[in-house]
Amino acid sequence: PTDLLIARSSANVEDLKGMSGAGLYDSILGLDASDTPSVADGVKRVWASLYTRRAVLSRHKAGVPSQATPCMAVLIQRMVPSEYAFVLHTVDPIMDEGREGYVYAELAPGQGETLAAGTQGTPYRLRIQKETRQVEILAFANFSRSEGGGEGLVDYSKDPFTQNPQSLIELGEKLCDLGMQLEDEFGCPQDIEGALSEGGLYIVQSRPQ
């Protein structure tokens, strides 16, 4: 963790089963903890994102009955100097049959906005069998740019996980264990966001999948 903060949303029309809203509302990164006006402005910007055109249309499509229904809290968290961000589903969202037996993970360099915002490109994609911990690498990353955690274009041929796929497999095993622990703790499949930093795994959010 650093002295920088992130302002992020937690809305009653966001962290719901069947409507996660990942990337729908704004998160403001890199706020200086010593600059109170800057932090306050970040909170206001997150709140304002509740009523963007995209957010309103998305809620209407999801069947939210009234625009008076949505409410939002703004969380202020210390930023993790994220080397990689990951999204983890404890039930594979892609498979048609047997999906409950697999964990699905996506991983990309930088901050989580890279994944949540659907940046053009392909992250590292893993499928892990829960019972055996067998890891299948579905795709190697080819994002053209790292958001937040790096600057400029990324040469993925030099990325440690590309050069050493075994390290990616070992990470997949750890993510599987982590996902199953959270699923057991909350009693239902989970949609998890997290980060890798200095050899540690950080969970920043877990919601019903």
Side-chain angles (χ1 to χ4, degrees), residues 95-170:
M95 297 179 69
D96 293 325
E97 298 181 2
R99 55 202 302 264
E100 293 82 4
Y102 292 85
V103 170
Y104 175 83
E106 293 188 349
L107 178 80
Q111 301 289 343
E113 293 300 292
T114 305
L115 294 173
T119 302
Q120 184 176 0
T122 301
Y124 292 103
R125 290 177 174 155
L126 306 175
R127 175 177 290 140
I128 309 102
Q129 214 280 342
K130 291 180 179 179
E131 184 174 349
T132 65
R133 302 299 195 275
Q134 182 176 353
V135 179
E136 178 184 2
I137 300 176
L138 302 177
F140 284 89
N142 67 2
F143 276 109
S144 62
R145 188 175 298 274
S146 173
E147 301 286 344
E151 297 181 358
L153 299 178
V154 178
D155 181 356
Y156 284 93
S157 67
K158 297 180 181 179
D159 188 275
F161 287 128
T162 300
Q163 291 188 329
N164 181 15
Q166 181 59 35
S167 64
L168 190 59
I169 290 173
E170 292 171 358

Side-chain angles (χ1 to χ4, degrees), residues 180-190 192 206-208:
M180 292 179 66
Q181 288 175 12
L182 289 172
E183 186 177 73
D184 289 343
E185 178 70 24
F186 292 113
C188 66
Q190 294 294 298
I192 302 158
S206 187
R207 59 167 76 91

Side-chain angles (χ1 to χ4, degrees), residues 80-87 105-112 115 124 126 149 159 161 167-168 170-172 174-175 178 193-204:
V80 173
S82 175
E83 298 156 11
Y84 296 86
F86 64 84
V87 174
E106 293 188 349
L107 178 80
Q111 301 289 343
L115 294 173
Y124 292 103
L126 306 175
D159 188 275
F161 287 128
S167 64
L168 190 59
E170 292 171 358
L171 174 62
K174 293 178 181 178
L175 291 176
L178 179 62
E193 298 175 18
L196 277 67
S197 180
E198 300 177 348
L201 289 175
Y202 292 82
I203 302 303
V204 298

